[in-house]
Amino acid sequence: MKTYSITTLNEFIIKNQADFPYAKGELSRLLSHVGIAAKIVNKKVKKAGLVDILGESGFVNIQGEEQKKMDVFADEVFISRLQASGEVCGIATEENQEIITFDDNLSKDAKYILLMDPLDGSSNIDVNVSIGTIFCIFRRVSKNGNKAKPEDFVQVGSQMVAAGYVLYGSSTMMVYTTGRGVNGFTLDPTIGEFCLSHPNMKTPEYGTIYSINEGNYAKFPDGVKNYIKYCQEVDPESNRPYSSRYIGSLVADFHRNLLKGGIFLYPPSPGAPTGKLRLTYECNPIAFIAEQAGGKASDGENRIMDLKPESPHQRVPYYVGSRAMVDKLEEMIREVGVESRKSEVGD
Ligand code: P6P
């Protein structure tokens, strides 16, 4: 009789823990608790359009309870589940200006910290567009047995121990890496488990999708404008036309490009002079996934995971996806740099 052959998230985590000889299970337990929080958030997100919770705050639901914005709800769920894990001593999230430190005895000795955007793109929930949770995990650099310190939350991205995202889309997926490849799990609501559906994910070297909010085109740096024009001509090497695809939800745009090949761009603009996306809990985790899948993530000149954050909420220009596409964009940004230096010296 054919058995129901699935690999659940927890089974996969435990199986792969064996690959880390010195692992004592802390990271495994932490990742499992991220999965539990994702399932709780998913339950609310999937019915957000009904009477319970809308994307906007300030409404009172039929029980007369003060309604929370979905991202506040998601933030509270992840914080409570992660504290219950006892495996993190502190958290930084987009929803909280200050870092959250746990000083209960269990958590104070924990060796990990976590940064996250609990519900990225939540403004899309009212129009039923996919949204996501983005997270990354570091070892603490402050002394165990004390509260987490600010320096724990501004580490260079290359120090990440794990990173991932949850995509609340047509199906709900959790995609993560611990530095040994990328694996994707799809939630089977009939059994309430994330099941391995995309083992060892790799992104195509080239793609024909570019994702950018072209409403800001007039203000983009010249190198980015030149790259968009390049995408709008048929690619001379492959004779392939490009497609512009932009959902306005980072996790959804990135996930599609990860599978099909493509580049996501969020350049500086007058409204966001250093870019809109946050280095620590949006750009770094997605960059870790991208690199582990064979792709690349840059701020236009530098590897994202080499940047030293100044604060947990620092914003940076962000270009991520198929390696050859990010390379081409960087080349066009450099060319403009050279041209503008030439024009300055009057060559
Ligand atoms: P814009 C959502 O608000 C978000 O943070 C990302 O998920 C998304 O990629 C970006 O902002 C969209 O920004 O300016 O194009 O609406």
Side-chain angles (χ1 to χ4, degrees):
M1 183 181 76
K2 184 168 171 19
T3 54
Y4 190 53
S5 63
I6 55 165
T7 301
T8 67
L9 175 64
N10 284 350
E11 288 164 351
F12 183 87
I13 290 170
I14 290 163
K15 177 178 164 297
N16 284 275
Q17 177 187 309
D19 294 342
F20 292 85
Y22 305 109
K24 297 194 217 64
E26 296 103 325
L27 182 60
S28 300
R29 278 190 294 278
L30 177 46
L31 287 167
S32 295
H33 277 76
V34 170
I36 293 167
K39 287 191 275 191
I40 296 170
V41 171
N42 175 68
K43 182 167 162 275
K44 284 284 190 204
V45 164
K46 292 304 181 182
K47 56 178 200 172
L50 301 174
V51 295
D52 203 353
I53 290 186
L54 299 179
E56 297 303 322
S57 67
F59 292 87
V60 175
N61 67 18
I62 51 171
Q63 289 83 12
E65 294 156 0
E66 163 70 25
Q67 274 193 324
K68 290 180 183 127
K69 282 182 71 171
M70 273 306 292
D71 39 16
V72 172
F73 170 79
D75 191 49
E76 291 173 358
V77 167
F78 274 94
I79 291 169
S80 70
R81 290 304 90 212
L82 291 168
Q83 180 160 18
S85 78
E87 301 300 353
V88 283
C89 58
I91 297 176
T93 94
E94 180 170 72
E95 297 302 318
N96 299 273
Q97 188 54 34
E98 304 304 323
I99 59 174
I100 296 160
T101 58
F102 301 139
D103 54 6
D104 57 278
N105 290 334
L106 194 58
S107 306
K108 225 164 30 177
D109 260 340
K111 67 182 182 186
Y112 294 115
I113 59 103
L114 182 141
L115 299 104
M116 70 177 173
D117 184 349
L119 207 58
D120 177 71
S122 52
S123 55
N124 288 314
I125 200 161
D126 295 340
V127 292
N128 209 10
V129 165
S130 302
I131 53 182
T133 296
I134 312 170
F135 68 91
C136 59
I137 298 166
F138 291 83
R139 285 184 192 81
R140 70 184 303 174
V141 292
S142 60
K143 195 166 167 301
N144 273 40
N146 301 296
K147 283 188 176 182
K149 298 276 187 300
E151 61 265 27
D152 290 317
F153 299 90
V154 285
Q155 298 180 54
V156 177
S158 53
Q159 298 303 305
M160 277 182 280
V161 171
Y165 58 81
V166 182
L167 175 58
Y168 309 97
S170 48
S171 63
T172 295
M173 278 194 74
M174 180 162 158
V175 176
Y176 83 92
T177 183
T178 56
R180 300 162 80 102
V182 178
N183 292 282
F185 300 79
T186 300
L187 182 65
D188 179 342
T190 65
I191 59 172
E193 289 288 356
F194 281 106
C195 300
L196 182 64
S197 54
H198 295 68
N200 193 26
M201 297 173 81
K202 292 295 176 195
T203 195
E205 168 82 9
Y206 290 86
T208 53
I209 295 172
Y210 68 98
S211 306
I212 189 168
N213 181 344
E214 294 194 53
N216 301 320
Y217 179 85
K219 309 291 185 197
F220 286 157
D222 289 344
V224 174
K225 285 183 180 175
N226 294 345
Y227 182 74
I228 293 173
K229 284 190 203 122
Y230 167 82
C231 290
Q232 289 170 345
E233 289 142 18
V234 172
D235 177 18
E237 284 141 37
S238 62
N239 197 28
R240 290 184 298 179
Y242 286 74
S243 297
S244 173
R245 293 282 184 274
Y246 192 68
I247 299 170
S249 191
L250 171 59
V251 172
D253 277 315
F254 174 75
H255 184 75
R256 177 204 53 239
N257 293 354
L258 181 71
L259 295 176
K260 292 177 176 267
I263 183 171
F264 173 91
L265 307 93
Y266 209 102
S269 63
T274 59
K276 176 179 183 184
L277 299 175
R278 315 288 188 151
L279 171 57
T280 63
Y281 44 73
E282 290 172 332
C283 301
N284 266 335
I286 296 289
F288 197 8
I289 297 267
E291 290 197 0
Q292 285 289 311
K296 184 171 183 178
S298 163
D299 67 355
E301 293 175 62
N302 309 288
R303 179 187 181 228
I304 283 289
M305 286 169 63
D306 287 342
L307 300 178
K308 172 69 178 71
E310 286 147 25
S311 92
H313 303 290
Q314 177 187 348
R315 301 173 193 265
V316 291
Y318 196 46
Y319 310 103
V320 61
S322 293
R323 176 167 293 279
M325 298 178 86
V326 178
D327 285 344
K328 185 70 180 173
L329 169 72
E330 288 183 327
E331 177 195 314
M332 298 188 95
I333 289 175
R334 277 193 303 274
E335 278 166 7
V336 166
V338 167
E339 288 310 310
S340 61
R341 278 194 292 280
K342 274 185 189 167
S343 60
E344 278 158 22
V345 299
D347 283 359

